[in-house]
Amino acid sequence: MSSTHKPSQNNKSTKAGENSSGMTRRAFLGRSAMTAAATAGATTVSLAVISPKAEAGWWDVFEPAVPHTPVSIAPYYTAITVGTGYGSSVTALRLGEAGIDTLMIEMGQLWDQLASDGKVHCNMINADARSMWFKDRTEAPVSNILGLPLVDRNIDRYPGVLDTLSYDNMKVYLGRGVGGGSLVNGGMAVVPKRAFFEEILPDVGADDMYDRWYPLAQSMLHVNSVTDEVYESDYYQFSRMAETCAHKAGFQTSDVPNVYDFDYMAEEIAGNVEPSATANEVIYGNNHGKQSLDKNYIPQAIGTGNVTLRTMTRVASITQGANGVYTLQLETINVAGDIVERLSVQCRYLFLGAGTMGTTELLMRARETGALPALSDEIGQGWGNNGNFMVSIANPLWKLTGAKQSGMPVRGIDNWDDPEAQVFAEIAPFPAGIETYTSLFLAITNNPERGYMTYDATADNVRLHWGPDQSQPSFDAAKKVFDRYNKANYCHYRRGLFEGNQPYADFFTYHPLGGCLLGKATDLYGRLKGYDNLYTVDGSLIPGNVGVNPFLTITALAERNIHKILREDF
Ligand code: FAE
């Protein structure tokens, strides 16, 4: 077992300044302010879909909430962060603490209002309008049952929480809303193996990262590990069974830390609180238990009194005036997605945290349209899918996964140290409500292939170029691991779950990385080459693959970079 995959276990205690839910006083005040700032627009609207929820009668008309009315903003801020994912949230908090007036701009909504079923988010089994960002149909990664497309369903268009961007040979999953990917992700918060970190980012001091910035990120995000009590419950039979099989095949497994509060999960299992992870909630948001960014960094940032949050507002373009001030053109949308306001805002310091795809698109548009022509040619290069590769395995009838499955993975097969098959395969749930005799794995492989992006002037967006064979290294490595796993356990590959009817999925990623690489398109702290006071703070800095799930590294790097920038650039 790798020590770097093992989290510190000491983060359960309540720290000074925190209340019993782990929220600091400043975060609590910020969270109240975050909600109060916009409640004037809080109401619900009928989308005339029948509620699938038990809380409402089947005859009730389901009404998702109308997004909060965006707050008014000033014409100028010292600093602006684009997006509200990990990179932006860290940056906004540290800017706010330093007394710098800062605006956060987010194209999605603040997810804190109850729909007519009494919930903020919908679950994966009964997905509704809240699930997807302006789509007519859900797009679950596991879309089929026995080869039939029975999982996805038609939905009304709405500014939902999960988005997909489709390119040739690759579909990218993203979170939309205040908190970005933290709203939809599986919460797995894993420190990469140090040797691999040093290989991919050799010029970023590993001592500093491992001694200071990763521990800070773990503490801020409330990373914890599954307790024995929870792991021994019915909800993790799927994981215990796969771990036993992995050991039988001679593999090591390791703990996968998470930001889901496992004490809360214990209470769910005991029936004392409203269930979330044990009630099929994850990719369309968790109503409880998960420490997403809207529970920690963002309310703390707003609690400084120096940070303003503008939602439902997309940054369309960026220019710079002769005085060095940046001007952002903004588009605010309504619940139907119509642009209801176009406005501009200026700043001296601009931090791009719109995620790998969003930041790269804004920068490529700026470079290619001549708005910021001195930006590096490196922008758009070095894109990777973090070697994401899903595998489905059919188990023999005597190896049961259980009908009850928690949505949060907590263990992985760690074969990273095998140079022939560098794979970290997380044991993923398949919560279908019945015994499926199926095990699912999200494998992170060491795929050295890289894609690139180009700007399409006619469509005014970017295209990702990822060839049909570029996932082959992932396939080869995963096959070595799972051939051995199957042979030792009377298992075989299960078709019929993924689009294309393969027993694996290499056509989508949850972990887009790169496009604006640290040390190439930027200096070693995210300062973009060619312009002063312009920074990248998100996953686009990371060169395509980090060997584990990426958000802890994005958070730690953002902490490291803003620490330096605040001392040297302001
Ligand atoms: P991100 O979180 O993507 O935030 C970017 C934000 O910017 C979003 O809120 C956008 O709506 C917003 N935005 C984009 N463009 C604009 C614009 N033009 N104007 C205004 N706002 C804009 O950025 N990672 C893990 O480490 N562990 C996991 O368990 C895990 N599971 C995942 C499961 C799913 C289903 C998905 C989709 C992702 C998962 N990830 C996981 C990936 C992780 O969430 C992702 O790497 C981070 O969220 C990326 O953080 P960034 O700060 O780069």
Side-chain angles (χ1 to χ4, degrees):
M1 186 187 296
S2 154
S3 59
T4 50
H5 285 165
K6 194 93 184 125
S8 63
Q9 296 273 358
N10 61 0
N11 43 20
K12 284 282 185 185
S13 57
T14 303
K15 298 182 188 70
E18 287 182 348
N19 65 21
S20 58
S21 70
M23 195 181 247
T24 61
R25 182 174 154 73
R26 193 167 65 194
F28 178 75
L29 294 174
R31 192 157 169 78
S32 309
M34 184 161 84
T35 302
T39 42
T43 175
T44 55
V45 66
S46 170
L47 290 189
V49 292
I50 299 299
S51 169
K53 308 301 296 186
E55 288 81 353
W58 59 266
W59 55 88
D60 289 333
V61 174
F62 170 63
E63 297 178 344
V66 169
H68 291 295
T69 303
V71 298
S72 307
I73 56 173
Y76 175 87
Y77 292 81
T78 304
I80 292 180
T81 71
V82 182
T84 56
Y86 292 92
S88 279
S89 299
V90 169
T91 305
L93 172 59
R94 302 307 172 201
L95 290 167
E97 284 176 335
I100 295 159
D101 61 305
T102 302
L103 174 67
M104 300 182 86
I105 306 174
E106 169 57 50
M107 64 194 275
Q109 61 172 303
L110 173 63
W111 287 92
D112 68 346
Q113 300 185 83
L114 304 181
S116 63
D117 64 354
K119 292 184 189 296
V120 174
H121 297 289
C122 62
N123 68 24
M124 292 187 292
I125 308 282
N126 291 310
D128 56 44
R130 291 168 287 185
S131 59
M132 304 292 302
W133 179 256
F134 296 112
K135 307 255 186 220
D136 298 314
R137 199 166 163 77
T138 59
E139 293 182 33
V142 176
S143 52
N144 298 346
I145 295 174
L146 298 174
L148 300 171
L150 299 174
V151 177
D152 288 316
R153 49 167 63 193
N154 293 338
I155 50 172
D156 287 280
R157 292 176 83 80
Y158 180 75
V161 72
L162 184 70
D163 198 4
T164 58
L165 302 174
S166 292
Y167 306 99
D168 290 346
N169 309 307
M170 186 54 61
K171 181 195 271 198
V172 179
Y173 280 87
L174 306 164
R176 295 271 181 240
V178 175
S182 77
L183 297 166
V184 297
N185 67 35
M188 288 175 274
V190 192
V191 180
K193 301 226 177 194
R194 182 167 170 146
F196 192 63
F197 181 89
E198 288 174 349
E199 192 181 317
I200 57 164
L201 289 167
D203 300 321
V204 173
D207 282 348
D208 242 18
M209 285 295 289
Y210 282 76
D211 294 346
R212 182 170 185 186
W213 304 117
Y214 277 117
L216 177 61
Q218 285 171 318
S219 142
M220 289 295 298
L221 295 170
H222 299 266
V223 177
N224 67 155
S225 285
V226 69
T227 57
D228 291 347
E229 177 201 0
V230 168
Y231 197 59
E232 290 307 316
S233 74
D234 291 352
Y235 290 90
Y236 281 105
Q237 187 180 328
F238 75 95
S239 188
R240 296 194 305 273
M241 193 276 282
E243 241 195 318
T244 308
C245 291
H247 295 157
K248 190 146 185 244
F251 294 113
Q252 292 184 329
T253 55
S254 66
D255 177 41
V256 178
N258 204 295
V259 297
Y260 198 91
D261 180 347
F262 288 104
D263 288 341
Y264 187 88
M265 201 185 286
E267 294 295 316
E268 290 180 40
I269 293 167
N272 297 333
V273 294
E274 198 171 333
S276 181
T278 60
N280 305 310
E281 291 179 0
V282 57
I283 62 168
Y284 303 137
N286 281 91
N287 286 301
H288 306 282
K290 191 163 74 178
Q291 278 282 332
S292 43
L293 292 164
D294 53 333
K295 312 278 191 307
N296 41 62
Y297 274 103
I298 298 172
Q300 286 196 40
I302 293 170
T304 65
N306 297 314
V307 177
T308 304
L309 169 65
R310 169 89 178 193
T311 55
M312 297 293 283
T313 299
R314 172 179 167 263
V315 176
S317 62
I318 306 161
T319 53
Q320 191 192 35
N323 55 2
V325 167
Y326 292 98
T327 302
L328 282 65
Q329 298 302 328
L330 310 181
E331 295 172 350
T332 296
I333 59 165
N334 63 13
V335 69
D338 304 321
I339 297 173
V340 290
E341 189 179 2
R342 290 181 203 272
L343 65 165
S344 64
V345 62
Q346 294 189 314
C347 64
R348 169 72 52 188
Y349 297 88
L350 179 55
F351 296 87
L352 300 177
T356 291
M357 310 310 293
T359 289
T360 310
E361 176 167 305
L362 279 169
L363 289 171
M364 291 199 75
R365 178 179 297 125
R367 188 185 68 195
E368 303 296 308
T369 58
L372 298 176
L375 284 170
S376 164
D377 287 344
E378 287 285 344
I379 291 166
Q381 303 297 310
W383 186 91
N385 66 352
N386 204 22
N388 276 193
F389 192 86
M390 278 201 96
V391 181
S392 55
I393 300 292
N395 300 314
L397 294 181
W398 63 91
K399 287 187 197 285
L400 301 178
T401 56
K404 295 175 176 175
Q405 301 194 9
S406 163
M408 300 292 150
V410 295
R411 291 282 194 271
I413 298 175
D414 181 0
N415 200 50
W416 198 263
D417 293 335
D418 173 0
E420 300 299 310
Q422 279 189 282
V423 176
F424 178 49
E426 287 152 345
I427 304 167
F430 183 32
I434 50 165
E435 175 60 52
T436 60
Y437 303 97
T438 301
S439 293
L440 270 185
F441 296 86
L442 171 61
I444 295 171
T445 61
N446 187 5
N447 183 353
E449 290 288 328
R450 294 292 173 262
Y452 64 95
M453 288 184 252
T454 52
Y455 176 67
D456 178 341
T458 315
D460 188 28
N461 61 19
V462 293
R463 283 186 54 203
L464 170 67
H465 300 268
W466 181 260
D469 301 328
Q470 289 193 276
S471 295
Q472 189 68 36
S474 299
F475 176 94
D476 294 341
K479 185 171 186 310
K480 283 196 181 103
V481 168
F482 287 101
D483 280 358
R484 189 168 127 195
Y485 178 102
N486 286 347
K487 196 168 168 206
N489 292 290
Y490 305 98
C491 296
H492 58 269
Y493 293 105
R494 159 92 71 217
R495 289 178 190 272
L497 298 187
F498 303 115
E499 215 177 286
N501 203 31
Q502 295 293 346
Y504 60 85
D506 62 356
F507 58 87
F508 71 79
T509 182
Y510 292 153
H511 302 164
L513 295 171
C516 185
L517 299 192
L518 199 73
K520 290 196 167 169
T522 74
D523 77 350
L524 289 175
Y525 292 89
R527 299 177 178 105
L528 278 146
K529 292 182 180 168
Y531 292 89
D532 287 337
N533 307 330
L534 182 63
Y535 311 88
T536 295
V537 298
D538 56 24
S540 64
L541 291 170
I542 297 175
N545 198 349
V546 66
V548 293
N549 321 60
F551 75 61
L552 200 67
T553 298
I554 296 170
T555 306
L557 263 182
E559 288 279 17
R560 166 195 179 267
N561 294 351
I562 191 63
H563 181 77
K564 180 86 162 179
I565 288 163
L566 274 168
R567 267 144 198 81
E568 293 186 354
D569 298 11
F570 281 82

